[in-house]
Amino acid sequence: MNRKILLYVALMALGLYSIPNTVALFAGQHSFYSGMGVSCDKCHADVMSQIISGDYVYNKHKAAAANFNYTTYLSVGGTNYSNGVINAYDGKIWTWDPSAKAWNNGTDFKNVSIDTSTNSGICMLCHNATLTGSFTHTGIVVRVCDDDRCHGNRLNAFNSPEILRSTSNITAAGYNLSQANAHQPFYLDASNQSSGYAAATGFGQPGNANGSSGFTSRGHWTCEGCHTGTVVNVTIIQAPVFNHSDPNAAKRRY
């Protein structure tokens, strides 16, 4: 009996030291603060390999994560960036203060940056709660492709290409998809469905949430359909055919 207990204790001790480096605190699940020192790829190596394999997407998003002007814009709930001025959701105007090396709204100073010294920096761009104005017990949220302040959606397009030194309005992709084009039916149909991701509405904006469901919509599927290797199931409903066997069938065009 004693041998079994000793073996059990030994296995438990071995398991404790084999736990991946998730910066877990025994006081209450995993705690992630500003993404500093977090090695996301320790547990999500498969996801990281897929991101890195998409070289263009990886480089663009890592550059965005390293742009502290953009991460500050996200964290204050920016609605527009023009000529070095950030307009925020609460009506506050932020300007760059060179002496303080931070953005200043007359009262507060902010210069929000995330750790980009490792691959985990790109993860924090989409998963750091402080960049969405939300705070959870883990500090982790899900910001999908058609987020208000990333690539826009049919409800809001709070994005400004200028802050990322982009000359084209590519960041309004989600909003443009909702207009009259070949992708519109797919995007609008997916937008009316709830995903399993809780909507981060820290700035009081509904964003791409599916109504009052409390979850983000599946609109981001449209983006992933062309820009990732994600498999999306689509059911195509064929139009009714003309009944040739019935001479009394209603006449109509094919």
Side-chain angles (χ1 to χ4, degrees):
M1 188 66 175
N2 290 335
R3 289 182 180 179
K4 290 183 179 180
I5 294 176
L6 288 174
L7 179 60
Y8 178 75
V9 172
L11 289 174
M12 290 294 291
L14 179 62
L16 177 63
Y17 285 102
S18 299
I19 294 176
N21 178 25
T22 56
V23 197
L25 298 181
F26 294 106
Q29 299 192 18
H30 306 316
S31 292
F32 302 89
Y33 297 101
S34 301
M36 301 301 290
V38 176
S39 299
C40 303
D41 51 340
K42 289 290 185 180
C43 293
H44 303 288
D46 56 332
V47 177
M48 184 59 69
S49 65
Q50 292 176 20
I51 293 175
I52 295 177
S53 65
D55 187 58
Y56 179 81
V57 174
Y58 174 73
N59 289 331
K60 287 294 183 180
H61 284 86
K62 190 160 189 177
N67 186 330
F68 60 82
N69 289 334
Y70 182 54
T71 50
T72 301
Y73 174 83
L74 295 177
S75 70
V76 300
T79 57
N80 183 60
Y81 175 92
S82 181
N83 298 319
V85 175
I86 294 176
N87 291 284
Y89 80 102
D90 54 6
K92 293 181 179 178
I93 297 176
W94 297 78
T95 57
W96 179 252
D97 187 326
S99 61
K101 294 183 179 180
W103 289 87
N104 177 14
N105 69 1
T107 304
D108 304 314
F109 292 86
K110 275 200 174 186
N111 188 358
V112 179
S113 61
I114 54 181
D115 180 18
T116 55
S117 61
T118 64
N119 286 332
S120 296
I122 193 173
C123 302
M124 290 298 125
L125 180 65
C126 300
H127 295 293
N128 190 312
T130 61
L131 299 185
T132 67
S134 300
F135 298 93
T136 68
H137 67 286
T138 61
I140 295 297
V141 295
V142 175
R143 182 194 291 274
V144 293
C145 308
D146 58 341
D147 184 272
D148 288 357
R149 295 166 179 83
C150 293
H151 298 285
N153 53 66
R154 64 174 177 163
L155 298 176
N156 295 308
F158 295 144
N159 44 71
S160 299
E162 182 186 344
I163 200 169
L164 293 175
R165 301 186 182 90
S166 174
T167 56
S168 60
N169 195 26
I170 56 174
T171 52
Y175 177 77
N176 292 334
L177 282 173
S178 68
Q179 307 305 304
N181 58 71
H183 302 90
Q184 183 192 45
F186 182 19
Y187 181 71
L188 293 183
D189 183 60
S191 294
N192 287 325
Q193 301 178 40
S194 290
S195 70
Y197 303 131
T201 55
F203 298 117
Q205 301 292 344
N208 59 346
N210 181 32
S212 59
S213 68
F215 293 91
T216 61
S217 78
R218 290 176 173 172
H220 59 93
W221 280 7
T222 315
C223 309
E224 294 169 358
C226 294
H227 295 286
T228 74
T230 303
V231 177
V232 178
N233 294 322
V234 179
T235 301
I236 299 177
I237 302 175
Q238 296 185 351
V241 297
F242 188 82
N243 186 357
H244 291 278
S245 62
D246 183 5
N248 297 316
K251 303 299 187 291
R252 61 182 177 80
R253 287 181 175 274
Y254 282 90

